[in-house]
Amino acid sequence: MRLLTAENALRRAGGFATHRHGGIIVVAFVLAAVAVLIPLTAPPYWLFLVNITLLTAISATGLNFIMGYAGLVSIGNAAFMGIGAYGAVLVAQRLSLPLPVLILAGGGAGTLASLIIGIPSLRLRGLYLAMGTLALQFIAQFAFRRLQEVQGRPAGFQIPTPDLSLAQWYAVLVVLLLVLLVGLRNILDSRVGRGMMALRESEPGAEGCGIDTRGYKLAAFTVSGFIIGCAGALSGALQGSVNWESYSLDLAFQYIAVIVIGGLGYLGGGLIGAGVVVLLPAVITHFALTGYSNSFLVNDAIYGVLVMLFILLRPDGISGLLLLGYETLRQRLRILLRRVSNA
Amino acid sequence: MNIAQLLYDALVVGCFYALVSMGFVLVFRVSGVFNFAQPAFMLLGGLIYTSVNHSPTIGGVALGVAAAVAVCTVASAVFYRVVMASMVGRPHFAQMVLTFGLTIVMVDVEQMAFGSATRNVAIPLARDAVRLPFGIGTNMVDLASMLVSLLLSVAVIWLVSSSRLGSRIRAIAENPRLASYAGLRVQLILAATWALAGAIAALAGIVYGARIAVDSGMVGIGLAAFPAAMLGGMESPVGAVAGGVLLGLLQGVAVSMFGGSIAESVGFAAMLVILLVRPYGLFGLRPVERV
């Protein structure tokens, strides 16, 4: 009998495709059951938080696409979300369109902004690109504020939204997230996706292999700009108002925390990280800190500590941990079964 | 508006930005890390000073400064030793996220420990109006803030360019492995550099606190100084002074034209332009890429 370490188990996992599918189907059924049970059982406050989590997951998945797969660091997530939201607001002021079209308009604004910042940024490498998006954060927030001042709307704008119940919102968000994940999976399994991942590993190396690094960078920029722009418009609709103060650097960093905690370069990372960053503080406040006036400081500090711990100890986040745990468990199980059948 | 006054105001703010930028530049030079924890150390310095010293006397100031500098120096060095030292060879992005994470945790803990009320810094200077030549109106606190920032910045420039520690810092920035072969204690000197950045942050926090006040808004001010480092070139202390003054000037002109809310974004807009035109800054080193 051989004992397999977790690393070995992971390495061997590829060879047992049928077993692997078996496990994944079980996991998928469990997740589907949970997904159906949530809107039926959760009290309104928690269902609202779950909706926020799903929305955060959509936007974070867009960020994960560019950071985790293409390896382009962006601190501009809040800015791109704001651009999507304000894009939808500006379109809605001129034309009366249904919400789905407005959300697509937000996505269009995000795409446009990502091209405007992306084309000149092709000159920038590594963290200098991150600094460009940091600059965008401050410029965009000022533009949002200015727009509200010029139009005399200090309290912000509304995006015309049909009157959906929490459970209906939940269904919409789940479907959108699923569509997004399936779509991205397909992009990532294509030539473009592989090219982007090569870009992440080594830019000069990818270039040496004949990969059009500029083209793939722009592709990554536009796709993630579209997703995040849509998510921004969606967030404006879900939360009922669009205000410049929401799209802060804190929010941008929160999104980085979401994908670092959830798992950079794992498609599920956005959802898992969103769950931790949105729900964990609410749970802690509810059960441990009720009535404590500084609870929001504690909550803030918790995700700050979490993101530091994950960077230091598990750079592949909770997704990496889960995958490791799953493969270890499967391996143990198989050894156990073999021993039983030998006996 | 009086041009001399505009220039003077830009200089007051610019010298402060230069001082803050020294911390960004020092850390970036030796370890290539954008140290976004610098503003959190500024706030810590201001809070320690206002907690220790309530008397506007020279002795009180000395006590407050000593306490704030000591705490921030140690805290910054400990952060390097415990967290950043284990990140050698990891992506710079991960290191940057750590400094962001630290800022969030530090600012939250500082507000829990010290409260979030605005505090005034006790200093032995009057805030009475002072007239300078060319019709410039100011007060002793602004004047002192400018001079102290400038002196401290020059001291850091001297330290990096002419002292023994400075030449070691530059050696490590150039090539850490070669420096260690030459017998330099790389880890110790890196920790010393972070400690120095902590001390600078504490002093900047006190200077800003004396001129305005100490509260969590200081973190935003510290971050607003970041474009100064970027404009001057992330590796260059001299560039940080030039970048600081340039940033102060740009903000002064923009604010007088468009109002106060533009101050932060004009700096970052300038930073975006410099990134696209000359990413290594006005005084920075043109990078050489080895594959």
Side-chain angles (χ1 to χ4, degrees), chain A residues 86-97 102 147 151 157 160:
Chain A
Y86 281 85
V89 164
L90 289 178
V91 170
Q93 282 179 346
R94 282 159 186 76
L95 308 162
S96 68
L97 293 168
L102 290 178
L147 186 70
Q151 297 206 4
F157 295 99

Side-chain angles (χ1 to χ4, degrees), chain A residues 55-320:
Chain A
L55 182 79
T56 307
I58 292 174
S59 187
T61 305
L63 181 66
N64 203 352
F65 182 71
I66 194 163
M67 274 175 73
Y69 289 99
L72 305 171
V73 179
S74 163
I75 318 178
N77 207 56
F80 281 116
M81 283 184 78
I83 288 167
Y86 281 85
V89 164
L90 289 178
V91 170
Q93 282 179 346
R94 282 159 186 76
L95 308 162
S96 68
L97 293 168
L99 183 62
V101 183
L102 290 178
I103 288 170
L104 288 178
T111 311
L112 203 65
S114 68
L115 278 177
I116 291 172
I117 189 96
I119 291 174
S121 300
L122 290 175
R123 287 164 52 87
L124 303 176
R125 283 197 177 163
L127 282 190
Y128 283 98
L129 176 67
M131 293 306 113
T133 57
L134 177 70
L136 176 72
Q137 163 64 40
F138 286 94
I139 297 166
Q141 216 182 355
F142 173 72
F144 302 155
R145 183 176 179 178
R146 195 75 201 161
L147 186 70
Q148 282 177 227
E149 281 170 9
V150 168
Q151 297 206 4
R153 300 293 292 271
F157 295 99
Q158 262 94 42
I159 295 178
T161 310
D163 197 17
L164 296 180
S165 74
L166 283 174
Q168 284 167 325
W169 266 117
Y170 173 84
V172 168
L173 289 168
V174 168
V175 169
L176 286 178
L177 182 62
L178 279 178
V179 168
L180 174 65
L181 290 178
V182 171
L184 286 186
R185 183 77 267 163
N186 280 320
I187 293 183
L188 289 170
D189 285 343
S190 74
R191 185 186 172 85
V192 179
R194 288 191 300 271
M196 273 172 39
M197 285 182 256
L199 187 70
R200 170 186 68 189
E201 298 308 324
S202 160
E203 197 178 327
E207 213 159 317
C209 295
I211 288 170
D212 173 15
T213 50
R214 292 171 155 254
Y216 284 152
K217 271 190 191 177
L218 267 190
F221 255 116
T222 44
V223 170
S224 92
F226 178 76
I227 299 167
I228 297 166
C230 286
L234 203 55
S235 82
L238 177 68
Q239 296 179 326
S241 87
V242 177
N243 195 350
W244 68 274
E245 283 176 323
S246 327
Y247 303 98
S248 61
L249 183 62
D250 285 350
L251 183 70
F253 181 71
Q254 206 166 329
Y255 273 102
I256 293 180
V258 165
I259 58 173
V260 165
I261 293 171
L264 269 171
Y266 291 92
L267 265 188
L271 179 60
I272 296 171
V276 172
V277 171
V278 178
L279 292 180
L280 187 67
V283 170
I284 290 175
T285 310
H286 186 73
F287 289 106
L289 295 171
T290 29
Y292 178 52
S293 62
N294 275 339
S295 63
F296 72 98
L297 290 177
V298 179
N299 286 329
D300 228 30
I302 285 172
Y303 89 78
V305 169
L306 273 180
V307 74
M308 287 173 78
L309 285 179
F310 271 103
I311 288 265
L312 280 171
L313 306 175
R314 297 278 348 163
D316 51 359
I318 295 179
S319 299

Side-chain angles (χ1 to χ4, degrees), chain A residues 67 73 75 117 120-121 123-125 127-128 130-132 134-135 138-139 142 145-146 149 204 249 253 256 260 264 292 294 297-298 300-301 303-305 307-308 311-312 315, chain B residues 28 34 36 79 83 86-87 90 92-94 96-98 100-102 104-105 108 111-112 223 226 230 234 258 261-262 264-265 268-269 271-272 275-277 279-280 289 291:
Chain A
M67 274 175 73
V73 179
I75 318 178
I117 189 96
S121 300
R123 287 164 52 87
L124 303 176
R125 283 197 177 163
L127 282 190
Y128 283 98
M131 293 306 113
L134 177 70
F138 286 94
I139 297 166
F142 173 72
R145 183 176 179 178
R146 195 75 201 161
E149 281 170 9
L249 183 62
F253 181 71
I256 293 180
V260 165
L264 269 171
Y292 178 52
N294 275 339
L297 290 177
V298 179
D300 228 30
Y303 89 78
V305 169
V307 74
M308 287 173 78
I311 288 265
L312 280 171
Chain B
F28 186 85
F34 292 99
F36 286 111
F79 173 63
V83 176
S86 65
M87 295 294 290
R90 297 273 302 279
H92 282 155
F93 147 72
M96 182 182 78
V97 172
L98 278 178
F100 260 125
L102 180 74
I104 290 179
V105 177
D108 290 336
Q111 280 180 288
M112 279 185 260
L223 203 59
F226 181 73
M230 215 62 192
M234 282 306 294
F258 301 104
S261 62
I262 203 173
E264 243 179 359
S265 48
F268 282 94
M271 177 175 123
L272 192 61
L275 269 172
L276 298 175
V277 180
Y280 37 89
E289 191 161 341
V291 178

